[in-house]
Amino acid sequence: MNWNNLIAEIASEGFAGASDASITGIEYDSRRVRPGSVFVAMRGGTTDGNRFVEKAIASGALGIITDSSPTFDHLLVYHAGLPLLEVAHGRRALAQASAAFFNHPERKLAATGITGTNGKTTTAFLTESLLNHVQCKTVLVGTIEYHIAGQIRPSVHTTPESRDLFELMAEGAAQGATELITEVSSHALDQGRAIGIAFDVAIFTNLTRDHLDYHGTMDKYFAAKRLLFDGTRYPAPRVAVINAHDPRAEELAIAASKAGAEVRTYGIAQGDWRACSYKLTPSGAEIALETPFGSASIQSHLAGEVNILNLLAAFSAAHARGVPFDQLIASVPLLKPVPGRFQPVHAGQPFSVIVDYAHTDDALRNLISLARKGVATGHRVITMFGCGGDRDRTKRPKMGHAAGEGSDFVAATSDNPRSEDPLAILAEIEPALKATGTPYIIEPDRAAAIHLALEAAKPGDVVLLAGKGHETEQILADRTIHFDDAEVARSVLAELGYGLSYGETQ
């Protein structure tokens, strides 16, 4: 592909120069520009790529696409002859350029997008597993990791920039993948990172308080999620799968239906796809499933009510993508828990230790309820949690209240403090935690807090290590360090006299 071919696929305000030289890449980060790259200089939420056009040119950029008129005019004067394109929307141009450069992988993959505050990752993994069960090759993009036709790679962002997403899709398509399953964050929807992908199926898991540091209000947060369904910025999905329990469900269903989508709802005792009854068991749940396409009694290995909802969402989505009802039911015994989501840590100890990603008050409340109903019946729940720095401060007292209200003992600690003082974050958590009357400790050192929580456990108790789940790093003000809750827990359990010699496995 050359410059002339590329710009023919991009909506532009103006252009200068032509070139038949082969393009070697599309980049939005000047540090990745190599000779022959086209650099897309676009305004972002925290930085402006137009500041780095000179660096990109110095690194050998073949041409520049910019969403800044002053940058375009500057380049016309100081880099006469360099192919240029001025566009109104930088991220849209990035998506169009990337789709063209990577030979339009979006035309080869049917896309399922999942948005919501909680449950995106588990629902994505389950949907992929159901599609894999009927021999569909998949590309999965999400919070924990990326999957490319069976290959596992570390995740960089929940929803990457369009250029990186198209590259992942192209690699998958080249290996025979026909399905894309991707988590679509509210940030990504608002910023336009999913432009260029026509989602066949879109799933809405829920909306609870989170990310108000970015969106400002819950209405704006919901408006970002709604973009995946209402056809205003992205094409409306063919099928919209919506959690019937969420207070915004009806509003979202109406918007999706008006945009032309077929709406499917799911829930417990309500919705098109529903668990009309269920029984939680130590190994998961027994569910009486009813759908417009059949009914069945199933035994899930996924613990808790929230995972019943995640399973129903995945069932509905996979069925919309062509998996027959009987194949969905046959897949259930093969479905496994997701890393960092109610993940047990076994070292022969006489109490349970669970690592979970719960980092909102709603998710923490659900986690504690699940632990009390399914694991700690008649025993104590000990919860360790923290709140991230440089993020929505209003959820800190809410999380303190949720932890204290549901637990028997709480260890409040650091999550990813980032640039904030961990003690200042804890000072915003503590009043609401203290008001619940539940015994607690404040320990800013997360490893020390894990030690204190495990040391306090008695036989039959359950210790919840909440907030980081699958994450293996902790972001501090001056550095990022390796930190894995499960790894630290195993080390502490060994110090306390437990270990694999007790006949358990990791």
Side-chain angles (χ1 to χ4, degrees):
M1 168 165 283
N2 61 37
W3 171 264
N4 300 334
N5 303 140
L6 184 73
I7 65 171
E9 298 199 33
I10 302 173
S12 64
E13 302 287 296
F15 69 94
S19 174
D20 58 5
S22 294
I23 294 172
T24 60
I26 304 293
E27 302 294 350
Y28 59 89
D29 184 336
S30 62
R31 294 167 295 186
R32 293 172 18 180
V33 170
R34 298 293 182 269
S37 298
V38 169
F39 179 59
V40 181
M42 60 187 189
R43 293 184 292 270
T46 57
T47 189
D48 185 348
N50 290 282
R51 295 167 47 203
F52 303 101
V53 292
E54 293 291 347
K55 182 179 178 181
I57 293 168
S59 296
L62 178 150
I64 304 292
I65 299 172
T66 175
D67 59 5
S68 166
S69 294
T71 299
F72 184 78
D73 293 341
H74 168 85
L75 294 173
L76 280 175
V77 173
Y78 293 98
H79 293 280
L82 179 72
L84 306 174
L85 192 70
E86 183 184 0
V87 297
H89 304 287
R91 275 198 165 91
R92 184 176 298 279
L94 177 65
Q96 292 170 335
S98 300
F101 178 77
F102 289 111
N103 196 26
H104 292 287
E106 79 282 3
R107 298 173 183 172
K108 304 165 188 174
L109 301 174
T112 297
I114 304 157
T115 197
T117 308
N118 304 312
K120 294 189 298 296
T121 298
T122 298
T123 302
F125 270 66
L126 293 174
T127 302
E128 182 190 41
S129 294
L130 294 169
L131 289 166
N132 290 162
H133 183 71
V134 294
Q135 310 307 312
C136 290
K137 285 191 177 182
T138 51
V139 174
L140 180 142
V141 179
T143 303
I144 295 180
E145 57 198 23
Y146 301 155
H147 299 169
I148 311 296
Q151 300 175 19
I152 299 175
R153 299 183 187 176
S155 171
V156 180
H157 297 290
T158 296
T159 314
E161 290 285 359
S162 58
R163 178 250 178 256
D164 303 322
L165 184 54
F166 277 102
E167 182 176 36
L168 293 170
M169 293 163 62
E171 290 184 44
Q175 297 179 48
T178 58
E179 302 280 339
L180 168 69
I181 304 99
T182 180
E183 298 177 45
V184 193
S185 69
S186 58
H187 293 68
L189 287 166
D190 183 62
Q191 294 170 4
R193 288 186 230 158
I195 287 173
I197 299 174
F199 287 97
D200 186 63
V201 178
I203 303 172
F204 174 73
T205 61
N206 54 36
L207 189 83
T208 62
R209 195 176 190 89
D210 201 11
H211 302 308
L212 297 193
D213 54 301
Y214 178 87
H215 295 289
T217 68
M218 289 297 291
D219 284 343
K220 290 180 179 178
Y221 182 26
F222 174 67
K225 298 289 189 188
R226 190 176 58 209
L227 290 172
L228 188 60
F229 299 85
D230 66 10
T232 59
R233 184 177 300 180
Y234 306 94
R238 179 180 62 86
V239 177
V241 177
I242 298 172
N243 180 355
H245 295 277
D246 193 271
R248 305 271 191 163
E250 183 177 359
E251 178 182 351
L252 188 61
I254 291 171
S257 181
K258 284 183 177 179
E262 172 195 335
V263 175
R264 298 184 177 189
T265 58
Y266 67 92
I268 295 174
Q270 60 180 300
D272 305 316
W273 291 69
R274 61 187 175 274
C276 58
S277 65
Y278 69 91
K279 177 184 177 183
L280 297 180
T281 68
S283 60
E286 298 173 359
I287 305 167
L289 175 67
E290 290 186 357
T291 82
F293 306 95
S295 302
S297 296
I298 59 176
Q299 291 191 332
S300 168
H301 296 311
L302 305 172
E305 291 180 359
V306 67
N307 276 322
I308 295 175
L309 292 172
N310 293 333
L311 181 59
L312 292 170
F315 270 175
S316 183
H319 185 271
R321 284 298 317 132
V323 180
F325 181 79
D326 60 342
Q327 290 296 316
L328 295 176
I329 303 308
S331 303
V332 173
L334 306 177
L335 301 177
K336 299 177 181 179
V338 177
R341 271 62 176 175
F342 210 78
Q343 175 186 342
V345 178
H346 298 300
Q349 75 276 6
F351 51 87
S352 298
V353 179
I354 305 294
V355 172
D356 194 88
Y357 189 55
H359 61 285
T360 67
D361 57 298
D362 182 66
L364 189 60
R365 194 173 291 108
N366 288 336
L367 173 65
I368 295 168
S369 175
L370 170 57
R372 192 169 295 285
K373 290 179 181 179
V375 183
T377 305
H379 298 278
R380 298 184 307 160
V381 173
I382 297 170
T383 301
M384 185 217 71
F385 82 102
C387 293
D390 301 334
R391 296 295 184 268
D392 179 14
R393 293 173 57 183
T394 64
K395 75 176 184 180
R396 295 172 185 174
K398 295 177 183 295
M399 289 189 67
H401 184 266
E405 182 181 47
S407 308
D408 298 288
F409 181 71
V410 175
T413 187
S414 293
D415 191 291
N416 292 316
R418 298 182 177 87
S419 69
E420 290 193 62
D421 180 353
L423 289 174
I425 297 173
L426 287 163
E428 295 186 18
I429 293 172
E430 186 174 9
L433 173 58
K434 185 176 183 179
T436 65
T438 297
Y440 70 92
I441 56 168
I442 299 291
E443 173 49 71
D445 184 297
R446 192 172 181 91
I450 291 175
H451 196 290
L452 290 167
L454 297 179
E455 194 174 42
K458 298 176 181 178
D461 289 348
V462 59
V463 179
L464 302 174
L465 307 179
K468 293 183 66 62
H470 63 282
E471 293 179 356
T472 57
E473 295 180 335
Q474 187 177 31
I475 306 171
L476 310 176
D478 57 346
R479 66 195 189 283
T480 296
I481 63 173
H482 175 76
F483 199 101
D484 182 323
D485 278 358
E487 184 181 292
V488 173
R490 291 189 192 101
S491 177
V492 172
L493 289 168
E495 289 180 32
L496 296 176
Y498 307 107
L500 298 182
S501 61
Y502 283 73
E504 300 288 337
T505 64
Q506 295 183 26

